[in-house]
Amino acid sequence: PPPHLANYIVPMNPGIPGTMGEKSQASAIAKDQSPKNPVVPSPVLMMLNMVTAGELVEDEEFNDIRNQVGIECEKFGRVFSVVIPRPASVEDDQDEGVDDDQDLVDHKSKGVGRIFVEYATSEEAKEARSKLHGRNFGGNKVVVKFYPVDKFKQKELGDEV
């Protein structure tokens, strides 16, 4: 199984009473699909643990990140857009010597630290999610979630899903 599902695999032995059958195992594999946290496939993915606010300030670094994400995500389907919210202006920053990332957190716009990728279809987004979730990026484990299209279109990028 893919590494990100390894913790959700439940041993199954149909010959022993009390072990999980195929339907029960399938539901145990996808923890996200519990009634408390239903997964609704969407053509929009939200990626977490990939960027910090400090990496998004300089235009050149921001554009490099956006291009790299777009190129990687195109391997799994037709990408309509890559949206990476940037921190609000920190020109008025008077805190010399303070950690830039921590200082930017105090000034950040909603959604900073997240990357949103809009695919042509939900099926393409599902394929990308299955390949990207759990990957390591910059020493961090990437988390990929479906994001509601209506919230994405309305630029509500700071909401929890």
Side-chain angles (χ1 to χ4, degrees), residues 49-64:
N49 298 335
M50 290 185 65
V51 293
T52 64
E55 295 170 318
L56 303 174
V57 174
E58 298 295 326
D59 289 340
E60 186 174 338
E61 188 170 9
F62 171 81
N63 289 326
D64 285 346

Side-chain angles (χ1 to χ4, degrees), residues 52-54 87 90 99-109 112:
T52 64
V90 291
D99 176 44
D100 286 340
D101 279 344
Q102 182 56 48
D103 198 38
L104 289 172
V105 168
D106 298 333
H107 294 83
K108 74 178 186 177
S109 304
V112 171

Side-chain angles (χ1 to χ4, degrees), residues 29-51:
I29 290 172
K31 176 182 162 190
D32 291 336
Q33 294 178 7
S34 69
K36 290 181 180 180
N37 187 16
V39 172
V40 179
S42 157
V44 179
L45 296 178
M46 175 178 66
M47 299 182 198
L48 306 170
N49 298 335
M50 290 185 65
V51 293

Side-chain angles (χ1 to χ4, degrees), residues 42-46 80-85 115-119 147-157 159:
S42 157
V44 179
L45 296 178
M46 175 178 66
F80 280 176
S81 64
V82 175
V83 176
I84 306 175
I115 297 176
F116 297 87
V117 179
E118 180 184 18
Y119 280 92
Y147 200 78
V149 175
D150 56 333
K151 290 182 184 237
F152 179 74
K153 296 289 185 190
Q154 295 169 14
K155 299 189 181 347
E156 296 175 10
L157 305 178
D159 293 346

